[in-house]
Amino acid sequence: MRRPSAIQRGGIVSEGDAIVIAHLLRSREYGQIKIGLQRACEFYEAQRYFRDPSVLVVAGGQHLSSPDVKVRRWAYKLVALLRANTLLEPLREAIKVETDAENLSWAVAAFFRLAPQKDREALRKEENTPFFNTALELSATLYEERPDLERRTMIDLKAFEADVLVQKWICLLTGYAGLPQHSVSRRFSDLELARNLVSHDDKEIVEYSIWALHRNSQGTPGKLLIPPADLIRHPANVRRWLYRLIAKTEGSAVRFTDLLEEGMHDVEPAAREGLALGLATLKVPKLRLSILYWFERERVEAVRLPLIDHLGRNASGSEGDRLFRQTLTDEIARTVSELQRKKIQSVLGVELLEAQPTLDFGDNGHELLRLRLASAGGPVTINTLLIANGSLNMTIDKSSNITAGSVSTGIINTGEIRESVIANIKAQSGDPVMSSLGPELARFLERAAVEPTISDDDRLSINEEAALVTAPDAGDDRLRRAKKFGTFLRGLLAAPGVANTFVDEGTKLINTLSNLGG
């Protein structure tokens, strides 16, 4: 078995994560494209799949010919994971023109996963591409579907010692291995060889060695042959994976909190990104405030994105960190980055909307900004509209279930949302689920409207969650939304200072939500 990814294994990728990745892949910046390809690969390696992978298939084919070496490298990997036969011919053509040796090895790995047996044999015998006893022979085995077998010895020791690309692939195969492998020596496992490479003169090989320990199920900071305190002096690419290895588990993160806090101030963004990725799914209470302060001062988007993951995942659930959640909620209105806003909405579980503004000119020559908001089921809430040097004309179609906040103050009219929920309950009285839930939910909303021990933000969130549950087009998704609403209420009612009588009423509603659907 492979080590579980930092991403939760199994299931479907959320709509929010899919939107964020699609946004990255459409970028004109190679760095963002690479991040999008990496994130997509991480999901597939965690056996999580996209409802509509067509965007990835198009992006994978497109980026096989990217001018950027790293973008092409990750495109090869994504093509292999997608296993889309339509990409076999573009991949075949890319192999013919690929000039980077490491990229060629990744292209061969993808080709051996997609191509029929006769085509694989033909590549093995290609005179212009030496195959046996090279890195290509190793890379061709990456996606072999024989997890219960040990890999046979393929590379002689001299080739391993002389060829840095062979050394890299020993590290890569070590990272992905389910069982101990012996690609070079029957005496020494690949893991042992990879560990020893940490003292290599080439710092990129050191980086691969540490990556192998991070990725392999048996790898821990304790298996490093050089102490972390000494490796921290290495270049940023090495520190990046050292931080990830240290943050591989909550236990190791706690043991090395001093190094991790130092890493939050690392001068190199790539190293800080590695640390943020390592912390993304961990709970480390000892570092709580340090991480929060780091997020507040961090300006590099590639670093902020995994920090948003960390804050969001620690803010969710009945025992979620309310300070983290409030920080992210505030950031939605403050950030100028559309990508970060989408990411925050995704981790907080906010329904994502695709907003398409179009600039038009009215009859009198004034510029008009027309904004179409497509609801993802349930109400669309317009938090704040800032109009500079002009005025606003807003038309609300009641049938579209859109609630507009006050333009001058940005304060949302919670009462209108509550009225919309109650109207939905009455309109669906014949629905068995709504007839069971409706009366109790309506009473709870009326009580929440005047409850002094909860905040206006909490009051708004209650009504917004209720609106999602009671939306007329909720359909088969209603029970999932009800469960999510119940989880949210448990967290809210567990907060200090909430009146016991309100907790009692909320608990009754939670029980009703839990029992929906039998």
Side-chain angles (χ1 to χ4, degrees):
M1 294 292 291
R2 292 181 178 179
R3 181 187 70 81
S5 167
I7 294 175
Q8 180 182 353
R9 292 182 72 82
I12 302 295
V13 175
S14 72
E15 181 184 0
D17 282 327
I19 288 175
V20 170
I21 288 173
H23 182 89
L24 287 164
L25 294 177
R26 289 195 297 264
S27 173
R28 296 182 180 180
E29 297 179 14
Y30 295 138
Q32 289 208 346
I33 295 170
K34 180 171 73 75
I35 292 172
L37 293 168
Q38 289 173 323
R39 297 296 177 267
C41 289
E42 288 173 1
F43 277 118
Y44 273 102
E45 288 184 336
Q47 298 174 7
R48 294 186 65 188
Y49 305 100
F50 291 75
R51 284 188 175 89
D52 180 11
S54 60
V55 172
L56 303 180
V57 174
V58 171
Q62 175 187 355
H63 295 309
L64 288 177
S65 58
S66 171
D68 187 83
V69 172
K70 293 292 182 67
V71 168
R72 293 201 307 275
R73 189 170 302 168
W74 282 98
Y76 292 135
K77 185 170 184 178
L78 179 60
V79 166
L81 294 169
L82 287 170
R83 304 187 77 168
N85 290 332
T86 56
L87 295 175
L88 179 56
E89 288 310 311
L91 179 60
R92 195 191 306 269
E93 293 303 311
I95 288 175
K96 294 177 182 178
V97 298
E98 181 56 67
T99 57
D100 181 86
E102 188 167 350
N103 275 14
L104 179 61
S105 66
W106 279 102
V108 167
F111 186 80
F112 269 69
R113 192 173 208 199
L114 270 64
Q117 180 67 28
K118 63 180 180 64
D119 289 356
R120 299 199 298 269
E121 289 301 323
L123 182 59
R124 284 190 178 99
K125 299 173 182 177
E126 174 62 49
E127 294 182 0
N128 296 327
T129 309
F131 184 87
F132 295 103
N133 205 34
T134 71
L136 297 187
E137 186 177 8
L138 291 173
S139 70
T141 69
L142 177 61
Y143 297 108
E144 281 184 339
E145 295 181 355
R146 49 192 193 115
D148 298 326
L149 299 177
E150 285 197 3
R151 187 177 296 115
R152 67 192 183 282
T153 301
M154 293 179 291
I155 304 296
D156 63 45
L157 193 57
K158 288 184 179 179
F160 169 74
E161 292 174 342
D163 190 338
V164 293
L165 189 52
V166 168
Q167 294 167 359
K168 287 180 179 180
W169 271 99
I170 290 298
C171 292
L172 289 165
L173 294 178
T174 296
Y176 289 116
L179 293 172
Q181 304 295 343
H182 295 79
S183 303
V184 177
S185 166
R186 298 305 303 173
R187 181 180 177 187
F188 301 109
S189 71
D190 291 357
L191 177 58
E192 291 173 296
L193 294 174
R195 285 181 65 203
N196 278 285
L197 290 173
V198 77
S199 58
H200 202 285
D201 291 337
D202 186 334
K203 300 310 178 189
E204 190 174 18
I205 299 299
V206 177
E207 172 192 355
Y208 274 68
S209 171
I210 297 174
W211 175 89
L213 286 180
H214 165 263
R215 188 65 175 77
N216 188 277
S217 60
Q218 300 177 40
T220 66
K223 287 193 181 321
L224 285 169
L225 298 180
I226 297 177
D230 293 335
L231 289 170
I232 209 74
R233 303 188 185 97
H234 282 51
N237 61 316
V238 175
R239 300 198 302 275
R240 172 187 178 87
W241 286 105
L242 178 63
Y243 293 139
R244 292 202 69 172
L245 176 61
I246 290 173
K248 184 173 179 176
T249 66
E250 292 174 12
S252 60
V254 169
R255 286 197 300 275
F256 292 98
T257 51
D258 289 347
L259 284 180
L260 296 184
E261 288 190 316
E262 182 179 336
M264 296 175 196
H265 298 274
D266 197 299
V267 296
E268 293 293 339
R272 296 199 306 277
E273 183 191 10
L275 174 54
L277 287 166
L279 293 171
T281 57
L282 295 186
K283 286 189 175 181
V284 192
K286 190 174 180 180
L287 293 173
R288 176 175 176 268
L289 291 180
S290 295
I291 293 171
L292 189 62
Y293 296 149
W294 177 18
F295 178 72
E296 293 285 356
R297 69 174 181 270
E298 182 61 62
R299 291 294 173 264
V300 177
E301 185 161 71
V303 182
R304 286 175 66 85
L305 290 174
L307 286 178
I308 289 170
D309 271 325
H310 174 85
L311 297 180
R313 285 167 181 165
N314 279 272
S316 63
S318 59
E319 298 180 0
D321 192 308
R322 293 171 65 86
L323 180 57
F324 279 7
R325 185 175 184 88
Q326 188 61 53
T327 298
L328 290 177
T329 303
D330 293 343
E331 191 69 19
I332 291 178
R334 185 166 60 237
T335 184
V336 297
S337 165
E338 180 184 0
L339 178 58
Q340 290 181 46
R341 188 176 297 111
K342 288 179 181 292
K343 183 69 171 176
I344 294 170
Q345 289 173 316
S346 172
V347 300
L348 291 182
V350 177
E351 293 283 349
L352 286 171
L353 305 169
E354 287 289 352
Q356 299 177 335
T358 58
L359 194 62
D360 199 358
F361 291 90
D363 295 336
N364 58 2
H366 293 297
E367 292 183 353
L368 302 175
L369 182 65
R370 296 179 178 176
L371 181 63
R372 288 185 62 251
L373 288 174
S375 173
V380 177
T381 301
I382 302 172
N383 279 325
T384 307
L385 286 177
L386 178 61
I387 309 298
N389 298 324
S391 59
L392 176 72
N393 236 340
M394 178 179 286
T395 301
I396 300 298
D397 180 357
K398 294 298 183 184
S399 65
S400 66
N401 202 15
I402 295 179
T403 301
S406 166
V407 176
S408 59
T409 65
I411 299 172
I412 301 168
N413 191 332
T414 305
E416 287 189 19
I417 303 179
R418 184 174 65 255
E419 291 173 6
S420 173
V421 171
I422 293 174
N424 285 340
I425 292 172
K426 292 178 179 178
Q428 301 173 83
S429 57
D431 183 297
V433 172
M434 292 302 297
S435 63
S436 173
L437 171 65
E440 195 161 331
L441 176 58
R443 284 195 299 271
F444 181 76
L445 294 183
E446 293 295 342
R447 170 62 190 273
V450 296
E451 175 55 49
T453 61
I454 64 172
S455 69
D456 288 338
D457 285 341
D458 287 336
R459 221 180 316 276
L460 172 62
S461 296
I462 289 171
N463 283 276
E464 288 178 330
E465 293 288 340
L468 292 174
V469 175
T470 60
D473 59 352
D476 295 337
D477 202 34
R478 194 185 306 280
L479 294 179
R480 181 190 67 82
R481 295 180 184 183
K483 182 177 179 182
K484 179 182 168 186
F485 185 25
T487 301
F488 163 77
L489 286 178
R490 285 191 185 93
L492 187 147
L493 298 176
V498 178
N500 290 335
T501 53
F502 185 64
V503 171
D504 291 341
E505 289 199 27
T507 302
K508 293 178 185 177
L509 177 58
I510 291 171
N511 291 335
T512 300
L513 291 166
S514 300
N515 293 328
L516 291 178

